[in-house]
Structure formats: structure tokens, C-alpha cells
Amino acid sequence: MTRRSVSPIVWLPIKKQLRVAGLMSGTSADGVDAAIVDIADRLVELLAFDTFGYTPALRRRLFDLFDSGQTATVDLARLNVAVGEAFASALIELVERSGIDMRSIDLIGSHGQTVCHDPAGGRIGRCKTRSTLQIGEPCVIAERTGVTTVADFRPRDVAAGGQGAPLVPYADYVLFADRRRNRAVQNIGGIANVTFLPAGGDLDSVIAFDSGPGNMVIDAVVRRVSDGRRRCDTDGRMAAVGKIDDKLLAELMAHPFLRRRPPKSAGREQFGNDFADRICGRAQRRTMAAADLVATATAFTACSIADAYRRFLPTPIDQVILCGGGARNSTLVEMLRRRLDGSEVILTDGFGISADAKEAVSFAILARETIRGMPGNVPSATGADGPVILGKIVPGKVAAAR
């Protein structure tokens, strides 16, 4: 039997350099971030990246699920396939745009779309149920692309007693650890999460956790004050002309999640539509201007990040490295700079990885670890009982193996 006739999962673990695609959709559910990277040891080169929006119909169905918290089983099954098709289409289109041959891609790491994250859990009879659910059927992705696909990264960490989040600290360590500087890698997606990388530290010294809201609250407020005409505050323009309401900001900063010690993770359950409705209700009673409300929501994200550093990080930070959509909000970034006086605030772009691409790149790195049989979680970040190999592997087509 020749190498060409065996499953890719036989020879992928021993290949020294892998070309990996990372696929990601965050809590904002705007669409699919798709990245293609070459990885050899700790050297990661970004070859191509783009974001592909969900169709209006698919995004509407997802938000119907988020808002209601329940759906018919058949609808969830169909959404799982539809999101898988969207992820596969995103990679196929990125390949076409970039001129990269799909056959040159060894592996795909797909985060999927989170529709439920409940690591605290409940009970069904005597069974304690700690759970997380990401949809975007990996079998569809593997079938459409012909490429071996790793997906469902979070459940294994939850099964091992962890929060299932944040999962990017391993990739942050690979990409940004430094011998001389204390660094914080701050992702500002729908939820904000930080990875603390102490100068000269090893993987066991990494601290990481969700700090609180990222863009989620800002976006929800913007949708409400604009009657749905706007989905986000582009470049922070509304916030820039608004005035922060200090009283409302203090009320928001009293949220119990912000005081909870790590490991911890957050999502729509803490900062979703119900939370946004309460904020808007308070603002309406105060007769706040729309721009003032957006400015206050933006300050809430900046303050909660800075407060998390003061509460939970052991040493001052030399460099804060920003990524995620919030890194493109100049008003938010400036608010954060003022509250992190003494720390240099820069973007991952300065390291050759677009701030928009960094999360997708992270799941490409995690997929590589999985296919090599290596753990990808950081127990000090997630609270898991120990290191575990993350994800589920769907082999690509044998004909696609090289």
C-alpha cells in the first residue's frame, strides 16, 4: 500500500511542516473568519485571511436561537449542517481568492459557532451536566473540501472539569511569549479574554480568562438605539461624540462576573440580550442620548478589561497585544490605553498576524496539536484537571492525501 492510498491521519502527525486552515465564528456571529497558515514548530506564517459574512437568513436563524434559548430539534440539526456549509464555503472562496491550491492544505481546524456554553451545568436526574455546544458540522467541511478536519475543541476540556474557555492561550504562548517582557494578549471579540504571558515563563505559568464583555454589549446597544439600522459602532464613531455616564458605568462595573476569580468564562448568558435590555431600560429612565449610551457601553468594556488586570494579574504589563474586532474600534482602544497607563498597547498586526485573523490562526495551531496527539488546553486557564487532547478528527478524502 502506497502513502497515497492511506488515510491522511496516518501521515499527518509525522509531517514536519503543515499547511493548516483555521475557521472561526465568534459570539457576535457576523460570519466566518478563515485563515491559512504554514506551521513548523513555533514558526507560524499567515498566507491568507478573509471574513465571509453569514447570509441574512442564516444569521437571523442563529439569533432566533440565541434570543429564544430554545429551538426544535430538527431546526438545530439543520442549522448544524447550514453552518457547516457556510464554513466550508468560506474556505473554498478564500482558496479561490488567494490562488492557494486546496490540495496543498493538510488540515482544517474549525471552532464552529457556539450556540450554548454552560460549564457550570445543571442536573438531569442524578447526572451532573456541564456542557458547551458548537455547531458547524465538521463532516460537511471535510466532505466539501476533501481535507481532514478537527472540530469541537471545547467539550473535552469541559469533560475534564474545565470551563472549555479560553482555548487560545496555547496559541498565544506559541506566538507571543517573550523572554524579557510581561505580555497580555487581549482579544476583544463578542466577549473579551486575556492571556497573561510572564517574561521567560513556561506554559504552566500562563494565566488566562474571560475578562467580561467585548463587543457584544456595544453591538447590542447600537442595534437598539438605531432601531436595527446599525449592527455595530464602526470605528467607535458614536462613542467618540458621546459622554460617559459615570453613574451607569459604576452600576455596570458592579456585575458579579467581574469580581469572580479565574478560571472563568462568559458568553451570552451573562452579557447577551437580557443584559442589553436592562442597560437600555436604565438609560431610558435617565433620558440619556444615544451617543452617551454607546460611549458608556464602550467604557464598560475598557474598564472591565483594565479592572481584570488589576485584580487578577500578578505583575504590571509591559505590552498589551490587541486582537479581535474591538482592536479596530479606535475609541475603545484609546479608552483602554488611558486605563492601562504604563503599558504599551499594540496590535497583533505588528507581529505579522492581522488582529482580525488571530483567532482563526489560533484554531489552526490547536488543530495541528490535536493531529500530533498533543494537548492543546492550558489547565491553569480553563480549570481542567489536566492537559487533554482537544477536538474530534474527521479524516479527509484519501484521494486528497499526498
Side-chain angles (χ1 to χ4, degrees):
M1 182 178 287
T2 67
R3 180 174 175 179
R4 289 181 178 274
S5 65
V6 299
S7 168
I9 62 174
V10 174
W11 54 267
L12 281 175
I14 60 175
K15 192 174 180 184
K16 291 185 177 179
Q17 177 171 306
L18 291 178
R19 178 162 293 177
V20 190
L23 303 175
M24 169 76 189
S25 181
T27 48
S28 298
D30 295 319
V32 183
D33 293 336
I36 301 172
V37 295
D38 280 344
I39 308 175
D41 294 325
R42 291 182 62 176
L43 299 176
V44 180
E45 181 184 2
L46 178 62
L47 304 179
F49 170 76
D50 212 334
T51 298
F52 303 87
Y54 286 138
T55 64
L58 178 54
R59 195 166 189 267
R60 185 167 57 251
R61 293 286 291 274
L62 285 170
F63 274 85
D64 286 345
L65 173 59
F66 298 152
D67 294 343
S68 68
Q70 56 186 338
T71 190
T73 305
V74 66
D75 290 333
L76 183 58
R78 289 170 178 171
L79 272 174
N80 181 42
V81 172
V83 173
E85 295 283 7
F87 273 53
S89 295
L91 180 55
I92 290 168
E93 188 167 348
L94 180 62
V95 162
E96 291 173 351
R97 289 183 186 182
S98 63
I100 294 173
D101 191 334
M102 182 71 81
R103 293 171 298 180
S104 74
I105 299 176
D106 298 298
L107 189 64
I108 296 169
S110 174
H111 170 269
Q113 177 68 63
T114 299
V115 295
C116 179
H117 187 64
D118 183 32
R123 288 193 175 275
I124 297 179
R126 296 182 179 181
C127 177
K128 174 73 172 178
T129 59
R130 303 175 64 256
S131 63
T132 184
L133 180 62
Q134 287 72 45
I135 62 173
E137 180 52 59
C139 290
V140 171
I141 299 171
E143 186 63 26
R144 299 292 176 265
T145 62
V147 180
T148 297
T149 300
V150 183
D152 259 2
F153 290 91
R154 297 193 187 278
R156 181 66 186 276
D157 184 83
V158 173
Q163 293 277 313
L167 287 188
V168 296
Y170 181 87
D172 290 341
Y173 178 79
V174 169
L175 294 169
F176 303 114
D178 189 81
R179 286 181 294 178
R180 295 182 295 108
R181 285 167 288 200
N182 294 315
R183 285 174 166 170
V185 184
Q186 181 67 56
N187 175 58
I188 311 178
I191 294 296
N193 56 272
V194 60
T195 301
F196 170 66
L197 303 169
D202 59 15
L203 193 59
D204 290 336
S205 66
V206 171
I207 299 172
F209 55 92
D210 286 354
S211 56
N215 303 312
M216 180 181 291
V217 175
I218 303 169
D219 293 350
V221 167
V222 168
R223 286 196 300 271
R224 284 159 174 76
V225 300
S226 68
D227 293 324
R229 293 188 300 274
R230 296 183 183 179
R231 286 167 48 180
C232 64
D233 184 18
T234 304
D235 198 30
R237 293 169 192 162
M238 288 186 70
V241 299
K243 182 179 179 181
I244 298 168
D245 185 304
D246 291 329
K247 184 177 180 181
L248 178 56
L249 178 58
E251 292 175 8
L252 299 178
M253 287 298 296
H255 194 292
F257 178 84
L258 305 183
R259 297 190 300 274
R260 189 189 311 163
R261 295 196 64 82
K264 59 180 181 175
S265 58
R268 294 184 181 279
E269 295 78 9
Q270 290 80 21
F271 300 107
N273 280 325
D274 290 345
F275 184 76
D277 287 340
R278 291 196 296 273
I279 293 176
C280 291
R282 294 175 194 174
Q284 190 173 26
R285 289 190 292 273
R286 286 181 167 86
T287 64
M288 286 177 61
D292 294 348
L293 178 55
V294 176
T296 304
T298 304
F300 179 39
T301 291
C303 286
S304 60
I305 292 170
D307 183 65
Y309 288 17
R310 286 190 291 270
R311 286 179 184 269
F312 305 124
L313 299 187
T315 60
I317 304 302
D318 299 313
Q319 285 185 326
V320 177
I321 305 171
L322 298 181
C323 58
R328 305 301 185 194
N329 182 328
S330 59
T331 303
L332 172 58
V333 172
E334 182 55 34
M335 286 182 179
L336 188 58
R337 276 200 175 98
R338 291 201 300 268
R339 288 163 175 81
L340 294 175
D341 186 34
S343 299
E344 180 185 13
V345 179
I346 56 179
L347 272 63
T348 58
D349 300 56
F351 297 84
I353 297 175
S354 162
D356 305 301
K358 188 262 173 183
E359 293 291 283
V361 170
S362 295
F363 283 93
I365 293 171
L366 288 177
R368 175 180 181 262
E369 295 310 296
T370 298
I371 204 69
R372 294 171 64 221
M374 301 296 292
N377 67 331
V378 179
S380 60
T382 67
D385 296 334
V388 290
I389 300 169
L390 303 175
K392 303 165 187 174
I393 301 171
V394 180
K397 296 179 181 178
V398 171
R402 293 174 306 290

